[in-house]
Amino acid sequence: WDCQGDLTLNGNAENGGGTTVFNNAGTFRKSAGTGNTFIQYPVFNNTGNLDAQTGVIVLDGGGNFTGGTATNLNGLVQLENYAYNVNGTVTTTNFQLVSGNLTGNNVFTNGFDWVGGNWNGASVTIAPNARLLMPSAINYNMLSATVTNLGIVIWENGLIVGGGSQTIIDNYGLWDCQGDLTLNGYGNGGGGT
């Protein structure tokens, strides 16, 4: 499926009440255009290859990355709104959670940028040799989450908020705090971190 421009696939869930599901077991590629290609409202389930060769593929409807790959070297893949599960082989550092939520068990095996959104209730593992970048001046909400770092976390900005029923952070790799930052363990519910 070769998208050759800054185009939009709109599942139109808001107008019809139904759900559109895009199951990608092949290759979904953006090969032209320097702006955004929107996959808007379809749930995008990737067991194949997601390849942004240029510009940005914006997923805006939720989805699952379980066993598939994202190999884009030049373009970006951004996850916006709704819930996502990333438990596959992401072989690029150009992969970002911009808004929305991580859900279920997530394993980052390469690079992942947490630019917005939250991890409330999720389980997240940063695998050995993988890198998580936290660059934004936001609240990094991980209420009732479990985070296991076996790789590198680069915390450049923002406030980490744990708590809920309980947040557990296990650090076995490098957690690099690059500023005068705060990890707050008592967000919403006071369960502690």
Side-chain angles (χ1 to χ4, degrees):
W1 192 291
D2 188 9
C3 176
Q4 297 184 347
D6 301 328
L7 307 172
T8 298
L9 190 161
N10 187 334
N12 213 15
E14 292 182 343
N15 294 327
T19 301
T20 301
V21 177
F22 193 110
N23 294 317
N24 182 48
T27 297
F28 185 97
R29 174 176 293 145
K30 177 177 172 60
S31 63
T34 58
N36 294 341
T37 291
F38 289 96
I39 311 299
Q40 195 168 31
Y41 303 121
V43 175
F44 192 89
N45 296 316
N46 188 59
T47 58
N49 183 25
L50 184 60
D51 181 20
Q53 295 184 346
T54 183
V56 183
I57 296 175
V58 180
L59 302 179
D60 186 8
N64 297 291
F65 293 82
T66 52
T69 61
T71 57
N72 45 294
L73 298 176
N74 298 312
L76 287 174
V77 172
Q78 292 182 334
L79 309 179
E80 279 192 2
N81 303 315
Y82 302 96
Y84 296 90
N85 181 258
V86 180
N87 196 349
T89 306
V90 177
T91 57
T92 177
T93 56
N94 298 336
F95 200 81
Q96 301 176 336
L97 178 66
V98 184
S99 60
N101 312 297
L102 288 185
T103 185
N105 294 319
N106 298 269
V107 179
F108 304 149
T109 56
N110 199 304
F112 191 85
D113 294 354
W114 188 2
V115 179
N118 72 67
W119 293 3
N120 294 342
S123 171
V124 178
T125 299
I126 299 103
N129 300 314
R131 187 251 326 132
L132 168 67
L133 178 63
M134 301 167 71
S136 301
I138 63 168
N139 285 354
Y140 288 101
N141 294 316
M142 50 177 77
L143 303 174
S144 304
T146 301
V147 179
T148 304
N149 177 39
L150 303 168
I152 300 170
V153 172
I154 302 170
W155 181 21
E156 294 181 341
N157 209 337
L159 170 69
I160 295 177
V161 180
S165 61
Q166 183 178 44
T167 297
I168 299 171
I169 300 172
D170 291 319
N171 181 46
Y172 300 100
L174 171 62
W175 194 289
D176 187 4
C177 176
Q178 296 186 347
D180 301 328
L181 306 172
T182 300
L183 190 157
N184 182 338
Y186 293 100
N188 295 340
T193 301

